[in-house]
Amino acid sequence: MKLESGWRDYWRKMRGTTRGSPPRVSNEEMFWSWIGAFLGITALAAAGQFLVAGSDLLLLIGSFGASAVLVYGAVRSPLAQPRNLLGGHILSALTGVVCWKLFQHVPWLVPGLAVATALALMHATRTLHPPGGATALIAVIGSPEIHNLGFWYVLAPATLGPLILLVVALLINNLPRSRRYPEIWF
């Protein structure tokens, strides 16, 4: 009897607790989010083209698109703060590279191991940044060029890229009176 009730409660949790859509943000908020994301990602792409073109290094990876959504579109979120932006990507890149180097011979295991370990380490260090999970995943499922970077992947793109996003976030997010970034540094 109790087991049956427990299962019903379990499945009921999946209904959610609130009705309706999330609140819509103002047009001004949309504008500044767009400007920030455009300038941040464009700065990364341009820096990559002009600073590291012709080398094996790169500055733009997919997880930075998700970081842009956080640091320009959710500026007050704890997940968007500098500690999380930098620490999440750096720690996750390091985790991904180590997992690849140790377990590349077990290709079905290493993606889950890298992401789960990066998640646990971000929790433990209070640097949770969801795009960091993608940074760890890219380190293990990326191209041979990504794998050949080895620990350089931690420096470029995983450190330099978020630093560029951070500089743009500091400049753009503080222009309007309605925004302030960061809420906390470390």
Side-chain angles (χ1 to χ4, degrees):
M1 182 80 106
K2 185 172 176 109
L3 181 62
E4 184 178 314
S5 173
W7 276 110
R8 258 185 273 147
D9 291 343
Y10 174 78
W11 292 110
R12 275 192 202 125
K13 287 181 182 180
M14 295 180 198
R15 290 186 197 166
T17 59
T18 58
R19 296 192 189 276
S21 300
R24 186 178 184 280
V25 299
S26 70
N27 289 338
E28 178 187 23
E29 185 69 17
M30 281 189 265
F31 171 78
W32 287 109
S33 295
W34 188 92
I35 291 292
F38 173 76
L39 292 175
I41 295 298
T42 300
L44 276 176
Q49 176 132 13
F50 297 115
L51 296 177
V52 297
S55 73
D56 288 338
L57 297 177
L58 60 130
L59 288 183
L60 193 59
I61 56 175
S63 56
F64 294 160
S67 290
V69 170
L70 285 169
V71 299
Y72 307 117
V75 299
R76 295 207 165 145
S77 168
L79 304 174
Q81 301 310 305
R83 170 191 182 101
N84 299 69
L85 172 67
L86 296 171
H89 279 295
I90 294 167
L91 192 60
S92 295
L94 185 60
T95 302
V97 171
V98 168
C99 285
W100 174 254
K101 287 188 172 292
L102 294 176
F103 300 105
Q104 62 186 293
H105 58 282
V106 192
W108 60 268
L109 176 68
V110 71
L113 185 63
V115 172
T117 304
L119 172 61
L121 290 172
M122 286 188 286
H123 268 310
T125 58
R126 299 182 336 232
T127 58
L128 189 64
H129 186 67
T135 298
L137 187 60
I138 291 165
V140 299
I141 68 165
S143 66
E145 290 82 10
I146 294 281
H147 296 147
N148 289 339
L149 287 175
F151 288 103
W152 284 105
Y153 177 78
V154 179
L155 178 63
T159 299
L160 193 52
L163 279 172
I164 291 170
L165 291 175
L166 177 60
V167 168
V168 173
L170 291 169
L171 296 172
I172 298 303
N173 286 339
N174 290 303
L175 286 175
R177 288 180 169 255
S178 61
R179 288 179 148 211
R180 180 182 71 222
Y181 183 82
E183 294 288 316
I184 54 168
W185 273 96
F186 293 96

